[in-house]
Amino acid sequence: MAEPNHLLEPVLDWYAENARDLPWREPGASPWSILVSEIMLQQTPVVRVLPVWTEWMERWPTPAALAQEPPGEAVRHWGRLGYPRRALNLHACARAVTDRHGGEVPSDHATLLTLPGVGEYTAAAVASFAFRGRHAVLDTNVRRVLARAVQGEEYPPKATTPAERRLAARLLPDAERAPVWAVAVMELGALVCTARAARCADCPISDLCAWRLAGKPAYDGPARKGQTYAGTDRQCRGRLLAVLRQAHGPVPKDTLDVVWDDAAQRERALDGLVADGLAEVLDDGTYRLPG
């Protein structure tokens, strides 16, 4: 097993040379802009997030600016990022920050966890990247790097375990470097130590990596199934929601019916959108975005 303290300097040096120039990493990035980026980046690649994040920051540069809009506007401008409940979470988060915290994103990790849609990872990321806190930031990329480099395993467990949290805490450097370490490991996982094709020749810790030194043993856990999209309820929901986003008022039911052939699946997806608060059905049977 690689000694954890051997990983720090090579990873930080690599990051200093290879970090992507992303607007939410700029020195002047506001805590709100960082929070928005973290929620948008959940299960979504940077290339898709950048244009939507930029539009949001121009339109809603503060939590108060978003809070005064109806939630449907957040859903409308979420575009095609997927998992649109995140847009509702961000809207609810903006209202909570505005109403309970004077319009300022809280810096305290425990308080961040009380915000709508903010979980363990997001709270740690915002506390670290926006407020320079010393927290273990465990996203999918970080977990994969640590699984390989330290544990000698190709992939981490499906859900974050207490052992992973203890390992991440043990790896944390001093308070000054902890936020940089967190984002550096994340970047290494995103660009080099990727899930499907690890570029070990380009890795700054390849000579320390327990997985590589063990001959890259194949993952022997439960089958890892790739996500399907075509023909799923999720795709159907996306088609229906796209119609509502593009409309400038309520949409007749027959306008929604034509976008998906399977009537039972379409009705199930439409009911799901209403139940999730992503759509509203009016008294006359038309549909619209919430609010």
Side-chain angles (χ1 to χ4, degrees):
M1 180 181 296
E3 288 295 326
N5 60 344
H6 291 170
L7 307 177
L8 178 64
E9 298 301 337
V11 171
L12 294 186
D13 289 345
W14 173 87
Y15 181 73
E17 295 292 328
N18 296 278
R20 287 172 291 182
D21 183 15
L22 300 174
W24 47 83
R25 291 180 182 168
E26 293 178 358
S30 69
W32 169 243
S33 73
I34 292 171
L35 174 57
V36 172
S37 75
E38 288 299 337
I39 291 180
M40 286 186 172
L41 286 164
Q42 293 168 5
Q43 298 179 278
T44 310
V46 166
V47 67
R48 289 175 57 196
V49 166
L50 266 170
V52 180
W53 179 91
T54 300
E55 181 192 353
W56 271 55
M57 288 301 97
E58 291 173 352
R59 185 181 181 91
W60 300 307
T62 64
L66 177 58
Q68 68 184 3
E69 297 262 21
E73 285 305 293
V75 176
R76 188 187 310 280
H77 291 276
W78 193 251
R80 299 182 61 82
L81 288 184
Y83 304 101
R85 279 195 61 81
R86 292 180 294 166
L88 290 182
N89 286 338
L90 263 174
H91 186 271
C93 192
R95 286 191 168 169
V97 169
T98 302
D99 295 342
R100 304 202 302 257
H101 303 287
E104 300 293 334
V105 175
S107 60
D108 177 68
H109 180 268
T111 306
L112 284 165
L113 280 170
T114 69
L115 298 177
V118 173
E120 176 185 0
Y121 162 75
T122 304
V126 174
S128 296
F129 306 149
F131 300 105
R132 311 296 297 172
R134 185 175 182 267
H135 300 280
V137 181
L138 279 168
D139 80 336
T140 301
N141 288 315
V142 173
R143 294 177 63 226
R144 184 170 58 253
V145 170
L146 299 187
R148 290 174 179 174
V150 182
Q151 301 296 101
E153 299 170 353
E154 186 177 11
Y155 297 114
K158 186 173 181 180
T160 305
T161 65
E164 288 181 282
R165 294 185 182 95
R166 290 193 295 269
L167 171 60
R170 194 170 87 237
L171 288 168
L172 277 176
D174 56 83
E176 181 178 351
R177 295 192 293 178
V180 183
W181 162 255
V183 72
V185 179
M186 192 181 303
E187 192 81 332
L188 184 63
L191 300 182
V192 175
C193 192
T194 58
R196 295 186 179 181
R199 293 165 41 214
C200 296
D202 299 323
C203 180
I205 54 173
S206 62
D207 58 338
L208 303 171
C209 176
W211 181 58
R212 191 191 69 82
L213 294 174
K216 299 183 181 180
Y219 174 76
D220 62 357
R224 300 173 64 88
K225 297 179 181 179
Q227 289 187 336
T228 58
Y229 183 68
T232 61
D233 282 6
R234 184 171 161 232
Q235 185 185 32
C236 181
R237 284 164 59 102
R239 294 268 184 90
L240 296 168
L241 201 56
V243 175
L244 299 180
R245 283 202 314 266
Q246 293 163 10
H248 296 289
V251 175
K253 179 67 164 50
D254 56 6
T255 302
L256 295 167
D257 289 343
V258 299
V259 304
W260 197 263
D261 291 337
D262 186 326
Q265 187 178 29
R266 184 180 66 242
E267 294 306 310
R268 183 171 66 246
L270 190 54
D271 288 345
L273 290 175
V274 173
D276 289 343
L278 290 163
E280 292 179 345
V281 57
L282 305 182
D283 292 340
D284 62 359
T286 59
Y287 290 78
R288 70 178 185 185
L289 294 176

